[in-house]
Amino acid sequence: MKDILTLGIETSCDETSVAVVKNGREILSNIIDTQIPIHEKYGGVVPEIASRNHIEAISRVFKKALETANVSMQDITAITPTYGPGLVGALLVGLSYAKALSLANNIPLVGVNHIQGHIAANYITYKELEPPFLCVMMSGGNTGIVHVKDYTTFEMLGKTRDDAIGEAFDKVARVVGLGYPGGPKIDKLAKEGKPNIELPKTHFDNLDFSFSGIKTAVINLHHKMPDINKADLCASFEKTVTEILIENVKKAIKLTNLNTIVLAGGVSANSYIRQEFLNLKEKGIKVYMPDMKLCTDNAAMIASAGYYNYIAGRRDNLDLNAVPNLKL
Ligand code: KG4
């Protein structure tokens, strides 16, 4: 059978990325141009600045992706851009570029949900991984437990009622003075601390999450006790959010009888969270997590999800629009 090459295009937030992936699992190229240094001085992503920088970067990143993969547009089977969720102006840059490529080269356009992309990062890391499984989605914009029924069918079993987990990491980091992006900085500092500060957990009867209570508790503690040990605070925050995640995962396992857990999203790069999930293996649970460089936004994961959408028969027209709050 002829190889299927998908061209993934990702511009939903602050990474401009283009990738070529073979048969959904093999990366031929994955070029990522990050804007983190540009947004760092504002303490977070500034949407208008993100859009402008995507425009500046996209052609260069696209050319490099083809060059590195050593392919031309004639070799590409489908063009698979992220069309949501994300920042609307940022999404529109990648989506418009994808539409132009599709029209000019007469190649099918296949839209990809960014969250589906984060899940697919695992298909690249583990060639043998197949649905069904439970996915713990933990990114900067989304948090929840997803029942992945097959490659393109998902059921959200529980989601955050307020902040996404990455948002909580970033806000805590900003308040304690670590800067943006907060997740990796908390990860590093927490290693020097002890998780000896009690922080609140919000429980629900279903599989929903809440991270605003713990975030506010950390911020209040820091304001009331300016001399508090920051490393201990970070370690305690990390430990408590991990407990919140794992408690809900255990409920999801009971509910579905599935015992394969797959992590996804930027926060799955957190070393403490990774270790605590790996410890679940001792209980007979199968645990998968993306390669570190595929945890945060990249176009290879989008091209992988695009491959599965393509073989499931999805085709989009040029009227495909950016959907900032797209659901799975
Ligand atoms: O998945 P992602 O790249 O963007 C979205 O699609 O939302 O996730 C970005 C989030 C940010 O909140 C960042 O602080 C967090 O992932 N993150 C981490 C780590 N690396 C990135 N959080 C905790 N520990 C890390 N090592």
Side-chain angles (χ1 to χ4, degrees), residues 50-118:
S51 311
R52 284 169 193 236
N53 280 284
H54 285 309
I55 293 172
E56 186 275 320
I58 188 90
S59 288
R60 171 168 35 86
V61 173
F62 161 69
K63 282 181 192 141
K64 203 164 161 200
L66 286 190
E67 222 175 82
T68 308
N70 198 19
V71 297
S72 68
M73 282 310 286
Q74 283 77 43
D75 303 311
I76 302 294
T77 319
I79 297 167
T80 65
T82 303
Y83 71 103
L87 302 169
V88 69
L91 286 165
L92 280 169
V93 176
L95 181 57
S96 308
Y97 202 84
K99 287 184 195 177
L101 286 176
S102 164
L103 182 67
N105 296 283
N106 197 22
I107 299 172
L109 179 74
V110 178
V112 175
N113 182 316
H114 181 79
I115 306 171
Q116 187 195 352
H118 275 301

Side-chain angles (χ1 to χ4, degrees), residues 114 118 139-141 166-167 169-170 181-184 187 265-267 269-270 295-297:
H114 181 79
H118 275 301
S139 71
E167 223 178 318
F169 267 92
D170 291 340
D187 194 346
V267 180
N270 183 275
C295 286
T296 45
D297 292 350

Side-chain angles (χ1 to χ4, degrees), residues 10 12-15 36 85 114-115 118 137-142 164-171 173 180-188 191 237-238 264-274 292 294-298 301:
E10 161 60 35
S12 69
C13 191
D14 57 351
E15 261 93 32
I36 287 177
H114 181 79
I115 306 171
H118 275 301
M137 176 55 54
M138 35 181 151
S139 71
N142 300 278
I165 186 169
E167 223 178 318
F169 267 92
D170 291 340
K171 283 184 190 159
Y180 175 84
K185 294 185 174 157
I186 290 187
D187 194 346
K188 197 163 165 233
K191 289 196 172 87
F237 171 74
E238 242 181 34
V267 180
S268 61
N270 183 275
S271 50
Y272 181 82
I273 294 178
R274 288 173 88 90
M292 286 295 275
L294 296 176
C295 286
T296 45
D297 292 350
N298 67 87
M301 68 183 197

Side-chain angles (χ1 to χ4, degrees), residues 177-237:
L178 298 179
Y180 175 84
K185 294 185 174 157
I186 290 187
D187 194 346
K188 197 163 165 233
L189 186 59
K191 289 196 172 87
E192 295 165 25
K194 288 190 199 68
N196 52 9
I197 301 165
E198 187 145 348
L199 294 168
K201 291 188 222 169
T202 312
H203 297 279
F204 298 107
D205 288 340
N206 61 9
L207 296 179
D208 281 354
F209 294 95
S210 165
F211 295 103
S212 75
I214 179 172
K215 173 198 74 185
T216 309
V218 173
I219 294 171
N220 287 345
L221 266 175
H222 182 258
H223 285 323
K224 280 190 207 138
M225 303 163 67
D227 295 333
I228 196 163
N229 184 309
K230 281 187 196 174
D232 290 351
L233 197 54
C234 289
S236 307
F237 171 74

